[in-house]
Amino acid sequence: MKVPFLDLSRQIAAIRDELDVTIARVLDGGWFVLGPPLEAFERDFAAYCGAREAVGVASGTDAITIALQAVGIEPGDEVVTAANTCVPTVAAIEAAGGTPVLADVDPRTHTLDPDRLEEAFTERTRAIVPVHLYGQCADMAPIVEIARARGLKVVEDAAQAVGASYRGRRTGTLGDVAAFSFYPTKNLGALGDGGAVVTDDPEVGEQARLLRVYGERERYRSLRSGWNSRLDTLQAAILGTKLAHLDAWTERRRDLASHYVGALADTGVGVPVAGDGREHVYHLFVVTVNERDAFRATLEQAGVQTLVHYPRPIHRQPAYERLAPADGRLYECDKLADRVVSLPLFPELEDAEVEAVVEAVRVAAGA
Ligand SMILES: *Cc1c(COP(=O)(O)O)cnc(C)c1O
């Protein structure tokens, strides 16, 4: 049996009729940029997060940049984030004019270690961008407490964690502002690029709205320098249609994850660890193994496709070696990068496919 890492066509087939109706409505409606369909999705998405405001933007990367600028990040400000994130997080910090500073993570949850933040701070630190990696929230209570004590802003990178919660509150409400991505493979994916800035603070929401459209509140009168980063109306309508299915998809992801965790418990393969009070949405199901290349080769022979998120931490990327701290403090990220491997997990994965993955992992682990 061939088990794909991800097959988006299954989701589209399942809701094809609804999507066709939605797309036809946009074609007939005559709004292609901004307008009522976008506003409707923004209201629904804010409500989903439990936040006051959602502002649709062109991508998750732009959402991070705009969120940082909306809370006042300026050129030269240092912004601390996790070294095991993907490149867009640091690209977005630099696009906002900030200087990324990399911090290490808790190896159990792969998210920022609050006890290791201090070593990344300088007198120029202005913000922290916790990354809710793989769909699990960072340990937000201590992170926000440290930020408050130092007067730092907290910008959630929630690109992988729509619907995830921390002590009962969803992503989008856990810091000053949050950035979401609707890249097609994300848990809530558009049929193209998209993103959103979510916040409880009306002033931050207002700034994000200005920044995404040339700093204009009204046409042709610019209040601050911004640029063009709008969420297409067509994508917003599609996302609104998909949002109604998100909880069911998340539930299926959680069922699959708990099945994997149970079935792999005795294999020696490291399965995801749920942090206290954190409800994971399993954007990715990432295990840790010692001999990764051999492990992946065995799975591939069994027809099971795997990926690595991510093979190289930020400071090992040619473009970002300059961000490597002199004191070598990113050792957990370095160690994890050699050991992580992502197994197929998406809502439309069939039970027989899940069994094939479990079987292949057991063989690869010699269990
Ligand atoms: C996908 C992703 C982004 C970027 O989102 P795009 O919509 O692709 O620009 C940023 N951070 C994380 C953690 C992501 O997974």
Side-chain angles (χ1 to χ4, degrees), residues 59-61 64 85-86 88-89 131 157 159-160 181 183 186 194 310:
S59 71
T61 308
I64 299 169
T85 189
C86 50
T89 312
V131 181
D157 181 344
Q160 300 188 358
S181 165
Y183 184 77
K186 299 287 159 79
Y310 297 94

Side-chain angles (χ1 to χ4, degrees), residues 322-333:
R322 59 194 160 80
L323 299 180
D327 59 9
R329 64 171 177 252
L330 304 175
Y331 54 87
E332 299 294 358
C333 288

Side-chain angles (χ1 to χ4, degrees), residues 227-243:
W227 63 97
N228 172 1
S229 180
R230 296 174 292 225
L231 176 62
D232 289 348
T233 306
L234 179 63
Q235 298 300 349
I238 287 163
L239 288 163
T241 298
K242 284 187 159 199
L243 185 62

Side-chain angles (χ1 to χ4, degrees), residues 16-355:
R16 179 63 187 251
D17 292 347
E18 285 178 68
L19 291 174
D20 283 341
V21 170
T22 297
I23 290 166
R25 197 172 292 147
V26 175
L27 295 182
D28 292 336
W31 285 95
F32 302 112
V33 162
L34 304 178
L38 174 65
E39 288 159 21
F41 171 67
E42 289 178 337
R43 271 195 305 277
D44 291 348
F45 191 65
Y48 182 85
C49 297
R52 279 162 84 160
E53 299 238 17
V55 181
V57 297
S59 71
T61 308
D62 276 8
I64 299 169
T65 300
I66 290 174
L68 285 164
Q69 294 195 329
V71 297
I73 293 307
E74 291 178 355
D77 291 349
E78 290 183 358
V79 178
V80 174
T81 195
N84 64 340
T85 189
C86 50
V87 163
T89 312
V90 292
I93 292 169
E94 292 196 329
T99 302
V101 175
L102 303 175
D104 212 357
V105 300
D106 177 340
R108 294 171 313 126
T109 62
H110 304 245
T111 59
L112 274 182
D113 183 345
D115 295 332
R116 305 275 312 282
L117 282 172
E118 191 65 42
E119 62 197 19
F121 291 154
T122 74
E123 69 280 6
R124 290 181 302 282
T125 310
R126 292 291 175 271
I128 306 172
V129 179
V131 181
H132 304 319
L133 201 67
Y134 310 145
Q136 168 157 251
C137 290
D139 194 4
M140 294 301 285
I143 291 171
V144 169
E145 192 183 316
I146 291 165
R148 293 290 170 262
R150 285 184 159 259
L152 310 178
K153 299 296 184 183
V154 177
V155 177
E156 300 174 68
D157 181 344
Q160 300 188 358
V162 62
S165 63
Y166 182 91
R167 298 187 185 171
R169 279 162 51 211
R170 279 186 170 166
T171 51
T173 65
L174 304 173
D176 293 290
V177 59
F180 290 85
S181 165
F182 305 125
Y183 184 77
T185 63
K186 299 287 159 79
N187 289 22
L188 178 64
L191 303 179
D193 276 308
V197 174
V198 172
T199 181
D200 263 335
D201 183 337
E203 177 55 26
V204 173
E206 162 78 0
Q207 292 305 315
R209 277 179 209 288
L210 291 179
L211 286 162
R212 76 167 167 187
V213 52
Y214 324 120
E216 296 178 355
R217 190 177 294 141
E218 53 197 280
R219 273 325 277 275
Y220 312 125
R221 184 162 178 272
S222 182
L223 301 171
R224 74 176 280 189
S225 35
W227 63 97
N228 172 1
S229 180
R230 296 174 292 225
L231 176 62
D232 289 348
T233 306
L234 179 63
Q235 298 300 349
I238 287 163
L239 288 163
T241 298
K242 284 187 159 199
L243 185 62
H245 298 275
L246 183 58
D247 280 336
W249 290 335
T250 300
E251 209 170 305
R252 173 71 177 159
R253 285 179 185 274
R254 286 176 172 155
D255 287 347
L256 292 172
S258 78
H259 183 80
Y260 275 151
V261 168
L264 303 180
D266 60 347
T267 59
V269 168
V271 294
V273 175
D276 269 357
R278 306 188 224 179
E279 297 261 24
H280 207 309
V281 293
Y282 298 99
H283 170 59
L284 295 167
F285 189 86
V286 176
V287 298
T288 48
V289 297
N290 291 329
E291 303 289 332
R292 182 171 62 202
D293 290 348
F295 180 89
R296 294 188 72 201
T298 304
L299 265 67
E300 195 183 326
Q301 268 164 22
V304 176
Q305 194 185 5
T306 60
L307 293 176
V308 174
H309 301 90
Y310 297 94
R312 235 168 258 107
I314 297 301
H315 57 290
R316 306 287 173 200
Q317 308 277 346
Y320 299 106
E321 279 166 5
R322 59 194 160 80
L323 299 180
D327 59 9
R329 64 171 177 252
L330 304 175
Y331 54 87
E332 299 294 358
C333 288
D334 278 328
K335 275 196 300 192
L336 287 171
D338 292 334
R339 305 186 65 226
V340 289
V341 53
S342 307
L343 303 181
L345 190 158
F346 54 99
E348 300 78 19
L349 199 64
E350 287 167 15
D351 292 342
E353 293 174 315
V354 175
E355 290 319 315

